[in-house]
Amino acid sequence: MKILTCPLNGPRNIAEFTYGGQVKPMPNPSEATDQEWAHYVFYGDNHIGVVREWWMHTPSSYWFIVERHNQTDEVIRTYDPAELFDVGASPAAEPTGADS
Amino acid sequence: MSLRSPLEGIGVVEGPAGLRLSDLTLAHREGVRGAGAREWLLSQGHALQDAPSQIVASGELGLVMSLSHREFWLLQPDSEASTGRPASEAVAAGVWPFYCQHSHAWLQLAGEPRAEIMAKLCGVDLSEAAFPLGSVAQTQVARVSVIIAAHQSENDHPVFSMFVDQSLARYLWEAIEDAMGEWLE
């Protein structure tokens, strides 16, 4: 069984987690063109390297961020989203750990 | 409208060494959440630990269980649940009521082998050395999401309180009862 360390709950079986997609900047929904919005919703970078991803610990409904190498599946770090986002601010951040 | 437990009619499972599985679903509990929840609870005179995932006795009959830095459940195992309609307005600035009374069933497991029983169902080590009194785990038991809290019962016996979605209460009860089987023979 793979183990992932939740920043709130500690190390847990991977079966307790749900993948939430790549962390990427969201365009302003009221100003983005259809093409920009479609790109945001449907496209990912798909590069090999360290990626920054949303994961949720399902039993506690707690969303957090994982930096993971998508070739070796090595988890570099997990942390609370407050490290990236101001509370109340729109989620928009480039993955600094990605080597794309 | 009266409240009903999804475990109504099942009764209590008892065995040697103080082993006991009981239904506390109709006991009183309520919750608060929000950025100001912690400060509000402290201002109300409740005892709180600094870190989340802890449960502490607070007041004469109650316990405060923290599930995160912003969510707290107030448990009163000896008081009956209120049947009143829950409030929908903020308790205070940044503090909102949370209706754990209606969403979750409350099972309680007491007895010497409780951690060994739970080891059959749960990946988290719940032995007293790894999961001392006052600990809380939000995890899976028999593959469904459960909150487990280790605390002293009203009789000063160590127990696990477990909270599970009401619709899964019978399934979880049967899974725990099955795991207790070898101690009940």
Side-chain angles (χ1 to χ4, degrees):
Chain A
M1 179 67 81
K2 285 184 182 174
I3 304 290
L4 184 62
T5 300
C6 170
L8 177 64
N9 296 284
R12 294 295 165 80
N13 290 345
I14 197 73
E16 295 192 16
F17 296 92
T18 305
Y19 174 68
Q22 183 184 357
V23 177
K24 52 187 177 180
M26 185 178 74
N28 186 334
S30 60
E31 294 177 359
T33 64
D34 288 351
Q35 189 176 13
E36 286 171 335
W37 190 252
H39 194 279
Y40 167 69
V41 172
F42 297 112
Y43 290 173
D45 284 346
N46 199 30
H47 66 274
I48 293 177
V50 176
V51 291
R52 187 180 277 167
E53 301 169 327
W54 285 105
W55 285 78
M56 181 180 70
H57 180 246
T58 315
S60 56
S61 300
Y62 172 73
W63 284 99
F64 61 99
I65 292 171
V66 173
E67 288 178 2
R68 181 179 70 90
H69 196 293
N70 60 6
Q71 184 178 43
T72 63
D73 202 24
E74 180 192 3
V75 172
I76 315 299
R77 198 162 81 93
T78 62
Y79 51 95
D80 190 279
E83 281 195 29
L84 281 187
F85 306 115
D86 290 335
V87 175
S90 61
E94 290 288 353
T96 54
D99 50 2
S100 56
Chain B
M1 192 178 76
S2 63
L3 290 176
R4 295 178 63 186
S5 167
L7 297 165
E8 192 175 81
I10 285 188
V12 173
V13 179
E14 288 184 296
L19 197 54
R20 181 181 165 91
L21 177 64
S22 55
D23 173 27
L24 294 184
T25 299
L26 297 182
H28 185 83
R29 61 193 167 282
E30 57 189 311
V32 289
R33 69 191 308 180
R38 179 182 170 77
E39 284 67 32
W40 182 79
L41 285 169
L42 289 170
S43 75
Q44 300 294 305
H46 288 289
L48 291 178
Q49 302 280 14
D50 289 335
S53 298
Q54 306 278 326
I55 185 168
V56 290
S58 183
E60 284 189 13
L61 299 169
L63 300 150
V64 179
M65 178 169 71
S66 63
L67 298 183
S68 74
H69 292 288
R70 297 176 170 207
E71 181 176 332
F72 303 86
W73 290 21
L74 310 173
L75 311 173
Q76 291 185 304
D78 292 329
S79 302
E80 282 190 22
S82 164
T83 57
R85 189 181 177 86
S88 59
E89 294 178 357
V91 177
V95 188
W96 297 86
F98 185 78
Y99 311 123
C100 46
Q101 183 76 63
H102 305 77
S103 57
H104 287 70
W106 183 353
L107 284 62
Q108 196 167 81
L109 180 63
E112 194 78 20
R114 64 193 181 287
E116 289 175 81
I117 291 166
M118 293 305 294
K120 295 181 176 183
L121 305 169
C122 178
V124 176
D125 182 358
L126 299 176
S127 65
E128 202 144 352
F131 195 75
L133 290 175
S135 304
V136 173
Q138 298 173 80
T139 183
Q140 287 186 332
V141 176
R143 300 194 177 194
V144 298
S145 293
V146 176
I147 303 165
I148 308 171
H151 62 92
Q152 298 273 14
S153 72
E154 61 277 18
N155 303 321
D156 284 340
H157 293 128
V159 296
F160 291 144
S161 276
M162 289 174 272
F163 302 89
V164 65
D165 188 285
Q166 291 243 5
S167 63
L168 297 166
R170 283 199 174 233
Y171 163 74
L172 182 66
W173 180 281
E174 287 170 10
I176 297 171
E177 188 175 8
D178 182 60
M180 292 167 73
E182 66 184 271
W183 284 273
L184 300 175
E185 288 168 357

